[in-house]
Amino acid sequence: EVQFVESGGGLVQAGGSVRLSCAASGSSFDDRAIGWFRQAPGKEREGVSCFSEIDGTEYDADFVKGRFTISSDETKSILYLQMNNLQPEDTAIYYCGTFRTRACVATDLEAAAFGSWGQGTQVTVSS
């Protein structure tokens, strides 16, 4: 079973950038779609981005398009989320994990239908 450890969160001013990392142990994540979701206090979790190494599909939530970029390293065991032009409404705990499918499915991202995920990393954006 894959274990995830997220890092890279912190406090950043509006307009700033942060790169989150997600280290997978126990296995690489090249056998199913992977991605990020977030959860702010008192809110439902939101799917942020999905990427599949298997078929190259990628989906991003509308609220991050043009600002966030998902990528992985050569070993397919570290997942990144580069976040630019951050805004206070991006404040949340960010989690990485795998979906239950091999390809990205837009409705799964919208529902943040992850099969497994890590402990998360806090991102706080000040105005």
Side-chain angles (χ1 to χ4, degrees):
E1 183 176 338
V2 182
Q3 305 289 324
F4 300 100
V5 178
E6 301 92 338
S7 62
L11 176 64
V12 63
Q13 290 187 331
S17 298
V18 166
R19 188 174 81 157
L20 304 182
S21 298
C22 170
S25 62
S27 177
S28 64
F29 40 66
D30 59 353
D31 63 346
R32 61 189 65 194
I34 53 176
W36 295 86
F37 70 91
R38 69 186 187 184
Q39 188 162 23
K43 294 188 177 180
E44 298 289 322
R45 61 183 185 180
E46 294 181 301
V48 174
S49 186
C50 175
F51 177 67
S52 172
E53 295 278 0
I54 300 165
D55 66 356
T57 52
E58 179 178 341
Y59 287 114
D60 299 307
D62 287 341
F63 57 81
V64 302
K65 286 181 179 178
R67 300 191 299 133
F68 295 4
T69 303
I70 188 172
S71 63
S72 64
D73 75 331
E74 295 177 347
T75 65
K76 298 181 176 56
S77 62
I78 301 177
L79 184 67
Y80 301 105
L81 185 68
Q82 176 67 43
M83 305 190 294
N84 299 324
N85 191 23
L86 285 161
Q87 300 301 315
E89 54 266 32
D90 295 316
T91 295
I93 299 174
Y94 285 73
Y95 302 83
C96 70
T98 56
F99 292 86
R100 296 183 178 91
T101 56
R102 292 167 61 82
C104 288
V105 178
T107 51
D108 282 354
L109 179 63
E110 291 167 4
F114 285 72
S116 61
W117 55 89
Q119 295 299 308
T121 185
Q122 175 73 48
V123 174
T124 303
V125 185
S126 63
S127 58

